[in-house]
Amino acid sequence: MTLEQTDLQRTEIFKVLSDINRLRIIRVLRHAQREMTCGEIGEKLNISKSTVSYHFKMLRNVGLTNTRRESQSKYLSLNYQTFNNFLPGFLDSL
Amino acid sequence: MTLEQTDLQRTEIFKVLSDINRLRIIRVLRHAQREMTCGEIGEKLNISKSTVSYHFKMLRNVGLTNTRRESQSKYLSLNYQTFNNFLPGFLDSL
DNA sequence: CTATTAGTTCTAATGTTATAAAACAATCGA
DNA sequence: TCGATTGTTTTATAACATTAGAACTAATAG
């Protein structure tokens, strides 16, 4: 992995973290200490489901979250490894 | 300072860090271990002076850099305190 | 003063992002 | 199967970001 590639990966992660709603999603997951569904988070943050789905995709794309399907629902959780790799200590500061 | 205000400050900082050229500027300053001028950095990164000036403003606005005028030149340096407050360990990882 | 150097701001072009409604797809319970 | 639930994709729109050239400002050397 070249320096340039790592920089690009970094900027992608920062881009994803630079939206207030995505930061809120991360905080909600962080404090819930459990996986949550789109619906739950959308309702909690008062965002339309299509917008929540869009943000979930962004988070997943850079590896900040994991998803797990169960029945009709999709469960989201934080991917601690990515946070630790790129932003050690960040989650604790949230 | 409310949680919401801190979140907004955080997203602003992430927004500034989510551009590849600004990340490059930070790396150059980090490794130079000294202040540098617009011209120096622009030449090193092959970016027009107006664009460099624009990025410098972004960095300064969120407190990631300091500036010092001396004669015709303007010297830029990293503001370590901001990095330590919001992204402890980040500079070392660069 | 005038010219030079260094940086900023204005402008216009181009591209990217966030949003929600609508249509769509997948899953499951009755 | 049918309808309800849950989430995704498409579409349109509005706002914002990045870029460099041109015009501008500030400081200084001669």
Side-chain angles (χ1 to χ4, degrees):
Chain A
M1 174 86 68
T2 68
L3 207 77
E4 191 68 2
Q5 283 174 321
T6 312
D7 266 8
L8 281 170
Q9 205 176 352
R10 257 194 264 265
T11 56
E12 284 312 304
I13 287 178
F14 284 135
K15 201 165 287 171
V16 167
L17 292 172
S18 73
D19 179 271
I20 189 80
N21 279 329
R22 287 192 289 266
L23 207 57
R24 285 196 189 109
I25 291 170
I26 290 169
R27 163 167 298 115
V28 164
L29 285 167
R30 160 85 175 81
H31 284 103
Q33 300 261 46
R34 62 176 173 85
E35 2 171 67
M36 293 175 82
T37 64
C38 269
E40 268 187 294
I41 294 180
E43 198 175 357
K44 204 169 180 76
L45 298 180
N46 204 34
I47 311 170
S48 78
K49 62 180 183 165
S50 59
T51 301
V52 173
S53 184
Y54 165 73
H55 287 311
F56 275 19
K57 200 177 190 173
M58 304 294 262
L59 288 163
R60 206 171 346 102
N61 281 347
V62 297
L64 287 173
T65 56
N66 307 304
T67 51
R68 182 179 66 83
R69 165 144 234 145
E70 183 185 309
S71 178
Q72 292 111 313
S73 300
K74 207 165 185 181
Y75 287 88
L76 232 84
S77 57
L78 297 175
N79 184 338
Y80 293 98
Q81 200 186 332
T82 307
F83 280 97
N84 288 338
N85 280 352
F86 287 93
L87 298 157
F90 174 67
L91 281 177
D92 294 330
S93 77
L94 259 193
Chain B
M1 175 85 72
T2 68
L3 207 77
E4 191 68 2
Q5 283 173 322
T6 312
D7 266 9
L8 281 170
Q9 204 176 352
R10 258 194 263 266
T11 55
E12 285 311 304
I13 286 178
F14 284 136
K15 200 165 289 172
V16 168
L17 292 172
S18 73
D19 178 90
I20 188 81
N21 279 329
R22 287 192 289 266
L23 207 57
R24 284 195 189 108
I25 290 170
I26 291 169
R27 164 169 295 113
V28 164
L29 284 168
R30 160 84 176 79
H31 283 103
Q33 299 262 48
R34 61 177 174 85
E35 1 171 67
M36 293 176 82
T37 65
C38 270
E40 270 187 292
I41 295 181
E43 198 176 355
K44 204 171 179 75
L45 298 179
N46 204 33
I47 311 170
S48 78
K49 60 180 184 166
S50 60
T51 301
V52 173
S53 183
Y54 165 73
H55 287 311
F56 275 19
K57 199 176 192 175
M58 304 295 255
L59 289 163
R60 205 169 348 102
N61 280 347
V62 297
L64 288 173
T65 57
N66 307 305
T67 51
R68 180 178 69 83
R69 167 143 231 146
E70 184 184 310
S71 178
Q72 291 109 316
S73 299
K74 207 164 183 180
Y75 287 88
L76 233 86
S77 57
L78 297 175
N79 184 339
Y80 293 99
Q81 200 185 333
T82 307
F83 280 97
N84 288 338
N85 280 351
F86 287 92
L87 297 156
F90 174 66
L91 281 177
D92 294 330
S93 77
L94 260 195

